[in-house]
Amino acid sequence: MHIVVCAKQIPDPETPPAAFKIDAATNKVIPAAGIAPVLSQFDGIAAEAALRIKEAKGGKVTVISLGAESAQAAIKQVLAMGADEGVLLKDAAFDDGDSYTTARALAAAIKKLGDVDAVFCGRQAADWDMGQVGLLVAEELGWPVAIIAKGVEATDSGLKIQRVLADGFETVEMPLPAVVTVSNEFGDPRYPKLPQIMAAAKKTVTPWAAADLGLDAGSVGKAGARLQLQKLFIPEKSSKVELIAGDTPQEQAAALVAKLVADKTL
Amino acid sequence: MANNILVVGELEGGAPSATTLELLGGAQGLAAGGSVSVSLLGTGATAAAGQAAGAAKAYVSDDAAYDTFRGEQWLAAVQAAVTQSGANVVLIGQSVVGRELGPRLAARLGTAAAMDCVSVADAGGALQFTRPAYGGNALATYTIATSPAVATVRAKSFEPASGGGAGETVALPGAGESRVAVLGSEKAQSTGLQIQDAAVVVSGGRGLGAPEGFQQMEALAAAIGTDKAAVGASRAAVDLGWYPPSQQVGLTGKVVNPDLYIAVAISGASQHMAGCSGSKVIVAINRDKDANIFGFAKYGIVGDWKAVVPALIEELKKLK
Ligand SMILES: Cc1cc2nc3c(=O)[nH]c(=O)nc-3n(C[C@H](O)[C@H](O)[C@H](O)COP(=O)(O)OP(=O)(O)OC[C@H]3O[C@@H](n4cnc5c(N)ncnc54)[C@H](O)[C@@H]3O)c2cc1C
Ligand SMILES: Nc1ncnc2c1ncn2[C@@H]1O[C@H](COP(=O)(O)O)[C@@H](O)[C@H]1O
């Protein structure tokens, strides 16, 4: 079974809020000084899900990322976890695209690979939190899709997936080829060990540009985007906290309850 | 500008869900002389159309196969409703249904979806869709040049619609094939009140130190009233296995907007606040006076929860 993992490099979502800044002129996040970009958390989990299937059933795992040269680091991380091959979709024409143009490029790369049985994505990229690309790749390829998986298992006929619902779980089954998006409920991804990191560093990552995928520059990136970002901004925090004084927790608790009652909150 | 709006409704106990009525309320405000219609799928859909306040027309199918959401089956029906209603705007709840249907519907119609919107506004030109991004650190406003514009919208983003139900119903076809088969489902055992519906949410975080801390959270909720208060958790606490995922508050958990949110031993990461910053009053109990949560709280107690929470429970009991 050949599984493709789609992996995105993003600004570290655990950057302290005080270090999170936006350039209003370009509507872009200003990278926080000294904080390196990371592999989007859910994509690491998607890789873990793919690797466990490879270990159980054999086959191979290819990791694809669309991004800048720096995204090599995200690809290498998944290679170090145990993926076999890496592809970087890199082209100035891909810049400033939307979920749709990203999915279009990823789907074209998956078609070019040719023998892919399944695509594993994260439930959402932890920068824009959109949660679309996996579904759009499935639509581009015409494959069935199951989203927000907490369990993925290869069966004789396809994939069996446990999905997270609002008030519980659901088990679904679908034939291959198919797309899955994986959620944090799946569990933590493995940490690669030093020898694996060193071996991954030596692996070559195949670069593909729009032309390699047969994509017209006008159909990808900003030119092909359908979702137009007008403004990215930091919302104002209105709250000014009132710290409840008191010599003992009992006094503090009594003062807090009195305030909540006076406000008619309780 | 006049907009023809289709709301993709969801049924709950045979009636349009609370979010469906909110989306219809939002649609009433945005239609500006255009039409508002709703699609309803599953057992009782035709009868529920009469309760879909704000919609002039309802596209319905009573086929019980729609009762369990399967993307491919719903897509075909909703796509037909979009075409027949001539909608240039489609609103869907940010739910299990919306998360899957939004992007797929947009793909099939050659357009785009804005996901998880907290506001949809008419600023004169194209509609503006605003949604949180970067884990809740930022808000992003989009326009969609292609038609129809598809948006999934968070619960409680609009006031529910008023007025009578849909006067006219149009039949949609029954469910077709689905390559994805649903083998079974399992409900998380939640005792009574859901956190999204509770007037008060008491949430515990990693700072509780052990799963037993949640017994204290439950005792605190009980002291407020089991009919009013429910217990939530941060993702750190859920990932540690201290509390079920169904109770997680935040970006990848539930979004709650209660009258009172009590955050106990939670640091207030943006991804957590993305699920509760709409609460009317936030109370934070944390031993670190510099914790981010105090930037969102109206009232704070700096101290060890192990001392503060039992004292709070005693005080609340006195109110009864
Ligand atoms: C893509 C992504 C999605 C995420 N989604 C979510 C989500 O949906 N929900 C969510 O909650 N998180 C989410 N997170 C995680 C989030 O970034 C934080 O890591 C998490 O919210 C931290 O949980 P916490 O506040 O319980 O723990 P911590 O950050 O460890 O904070 C514990 C707090 O407890 C306090 N404390 C410790 N001991 C005591 C004591 N005895 N008395 C009083 N206070 C004490 C400490 O001062 C500290 O402030 C997400 C992260 C990412 C990257
Ligand atoms: N630039 C990218 N390169 C590779 N995969 C991506 C990229 N953007 C999104 N994805 C995949 O699609 C998932 C959902 O992304 P999104 O729809 O942007 O939230 C991510 O978790 C990735 O698996």
Side-chain angles (χ1 to χ4, degrees):
Chain A
M1 184 153 155
H2 183 186
I3 305 176
V4 162
V5 173
C6 296
K8 186 180 188 186
Q9 188 185 51
I10 61 165
D12 189 342
E14 304 201 62
T15 300
F20 181 83
K21 301 256 155 56
I22 288 167
D23 178 355
T26 58
N27 279 331
K28 281 184 180 163
V29 170
I30 302 170
I35 303 179
V38 297
L39 169 68
S40 184
Q41 280 75 1
F42 303 108
D43 302 356
I45 302 170
E48 179 64 38
L51 291 167
R52 286 197 205 165
I53 290 179
K54 179 184 140 178
E55 283 153 8
K57 300 263 165 176
K60 80 173 179 189
V61 173
T62 301
V63 50
I64 307 184
S65 187
L66 181 149
E69 188 60 27
S70 65
Q72 291 262 6
I75 294 175
K76 294 272 161 109
Q77 186 172 335
V78 179
L79 289 172
M81 285 174 70
D84 302 278
E85 277 163 32
V87 177
L88 176 61
L89 308 184
K90 193 182 128 228
D91 193 320
F94 293 145
D95 288 354
D96 299 323
D98 64 359
S99 311
Y100 166 71
T101 57
T102 301
R104 211 173 132 81
L106 290 169
I110 291 157
K111 279 189 203 150
K112 189 177 162 94
L113 287 172
D115 60 348
V116 177
D117 298 297
V119 176
F120 285 20
C121 290
R123 62 173 285 169
Q124 67 202 53
D127 49 0
W128 291 98
D129 301 319
M130 202 53 107
Q132 298 211 52
V133 167
L135 290 151
L136 296 176
V137 166
E139 285 293 318
E140 281 283 317
L141 297 170
W143 294 0
V145 54
I147 62 168
I148 318 194
K150 68 164 244 165
V152 189
E153 193 190 317
T155 63
D156 293 337
S157 55
L159 291 173
K160 198 171 173 182
I161 285 134
Q162 247 205 322
R163 296 181 57 205
V164 182
L165 304 180
D167 57 352
F169 310 104
E170 171 183 85
T171 308
V172 303
E173 196 168 32
M174 58 186 179
L176 296 172
V179 178
V180 182
T181 82
V182 185
S183 188
N184 47 287
E185 288 85 354
F186 184 90
D188 291 332
R190 66 193 65 187
Y191 282 110
K193 302 214 169 59
L194 193 60
Q196 294 157 322
I197 295 172
M198 283 164 62
K202 288 198 204 99
K203 285 192 191 162
T204 54
V205 172
T206 310
W208 281 341
D212 297 317
L213 302 173
L215 293 172
D216 179 50
S219 71
V220 290
K222 197 178 169 73
R226 296 166 175 177
L227 205 50
Q228 267 102 32
L229 178 66
Q230 304 295 342
K231 195 169 174 224
L232 181 67
F233 59 103
I234 297 177
E236 305 221 345
K237 273 194 228 164
S238 51
S239 170
K240 245 196 137 143
V241 67
E242 179 181 342
L243 293 180
I244 309 289
D247 290 332
T248 61
Q250 285 69 27
E251 277 181 37
Q252 287 176 305
L256 174 63
V257 170
K259 284 191 191 289
L260 293 173
V261 169
D263 290 354
K264 299 205 161 48
T265 302
L266 277 181
Chain B
M1 197 187 90
N3 292 300
N4 295 327
I5 305 180
L6 176 76
V7 168
V8 178
E10 291 180 52
L11 295 171
E12 225 172 67
S17 71
T19 308
T20 303
L21 295 174
E22 290 160 18
L23 295 179
L24 285 167
Q28 277 183 319
L30 295 164
S35 68
V36 175
S37 32
V38 66
S39 67
L40 293 166
L41 298 172
T43 307
T46 308
Q51 298 167 57
K57 216 183 248 188
Y59 295 85
V60 296
S61 168
D62 287 347
D63 188 348
Y66 288 124
D67 293 352
T68 299
F69 172 73
R70 293 176 194 85
E72 288 174 18
Q73 295 177 335
W74 274 60
L75 259 174
V78 170
Q79 197 176 342
V82 174
T83 314
Q84 290 178 39
S85 66
N88 68 318
V89 179
V90 180
L91 301 178
I92 320 176
Q94 173 75 2
S95 58
V96 169
V97 170
R99 284 177 206 272
E100 177 165 346
L101 222 49
R104 296 186 76 182
L105 185 66
R108 293 198 178 186
L109 297 168
T111 179
M115 303 298 289
D116 197 20
C117 297
V118 291
S119 99
V120 181
D122 187 348
L127 290 184
Q128 299 196 324
F129 301 91
T130 300
R131 55 182 301 276
Y134 287 92
N137 277 312
L139 285 173
T141 300
Y142 295 88
T143 53
I144 299 173
T146 46
S147 180
V150 179
T152 64
V153 181
R154 251 188 214 187
K156 302 208 177 131
S157 299
F158 297 120
E159 289 300 318
S162 53
E168 192 188 342
T169 56
V170 180
L172 289 174
E177 295 291 301
S178 171
R179 289 173 291 179
V180 180
V182 178
L183 303 181
S185 65
E186 200 184 304
K187 279 230 181 306
Q189 72 259 47
S190 60
T191 39
L193 196 57
Q194 301 286 311
I195 50 172
Q196 309 95 289
D197 303 329
V200 180
V201 176
V202 177
S203 281
R206 177 159 35 206
L208 291 181
E212 292 72 37
F214 277 94
Q215 288 164 11
Q216 290 286 306
M217 299 302 107
E218 283 167 1
L220 180 53
I224 293 165
T226 43
D227 55 332
K228 274 178 78 182
V231 176
S234 73
R235 179 162 133 196
V238 169
D239 284 350
L240 286 160
W242 296 354
Y243 222 54
S246 60
Q247 306 309 108
Q248 182 182 314
V249 172
L251 182 66
T252 47
K254 300 244 161 68
V255 176
V256 298
N257 299 310
D259 297 329
L260 174 61
Y261 188 82
I262 306 181
V264 183
I266 290 177
S267 62
S270 60
Q271 294 90 355
H272 184 78
M273 300 320 294
C276 63
S277 59
S279 307
K280 286 211 188 72
V281 173
I282 295 178
V283 168
I285 300 168
N286 198 301
R287 68 175 175 199
D288 172 10
K289 69 172 184 6
D290 296 321
N292 200 47
I293 187 78
F294 289 124
F296 294 86
K298 180 159 188 219
Y299 301 117
I301 294 183
V302 178
D304 188 338
W305 72 270
K306 284 184 185 141
V308 175
V309 169
L312 205 48
I313 293 171
E314 286 312 307
E315 282 302 317
L316 288 162
K317 282 185 180 158
K318 289 185 198 159
L319 292 180
K320 297 242 164 112

